[in-house]
Amino acid sequence: MELACGTALPSIVALERGAKVTSTDISLLSLRLAEQSAQKSTASTRNEFSTMIFDIMEDSSQKLLDLHPDIIVASDLLYGEAIAKGLGHQLGVAASN
């Protein structure tokens, strides 16, 4: 699972390497671009790829935990203190479960 995927490059690489991937973002545009990239991937027919709207600052961590991710990736999204605190909270809850 990738949080705040943006261009979803880590998600696409994971998909290419055989992972089942869920890319999350608050931006519908980012999620649409991620879906298009996954469709162009040579692995898209062999592996599962999905997207989900998720706001690090507002949504419940349970929304993520219900998907039972093996790995949570958060890359290139720490642009401010508030986002860092939100991410820290989400990952802290995920780690304790």
Side-chain angles (χ1 to χ4, degrees), residues 51-90:
T51 60
M52 179 176 77
I53 294 175
F54 185 78
D55 184 344
I56 290 173
M57 305 299 291
E58 299 291 329
D59 285 338
S60 165
S61 301
Q62 193 60 45
K63 188 174 178 180
L64 298 177
L65 296 175
D66 287 345
L67 297 174
H68 306 287
D70 293 325
I71 298 171
I72 298 175
V73 175
S75 67
D76 196 29
L77 63 111
L78 299 176
Y79 301 113
E81 185 176 342
I83 294 173
K85 286 181 179 180
L87 177 62
H89 170 75
Q90 296 290 358

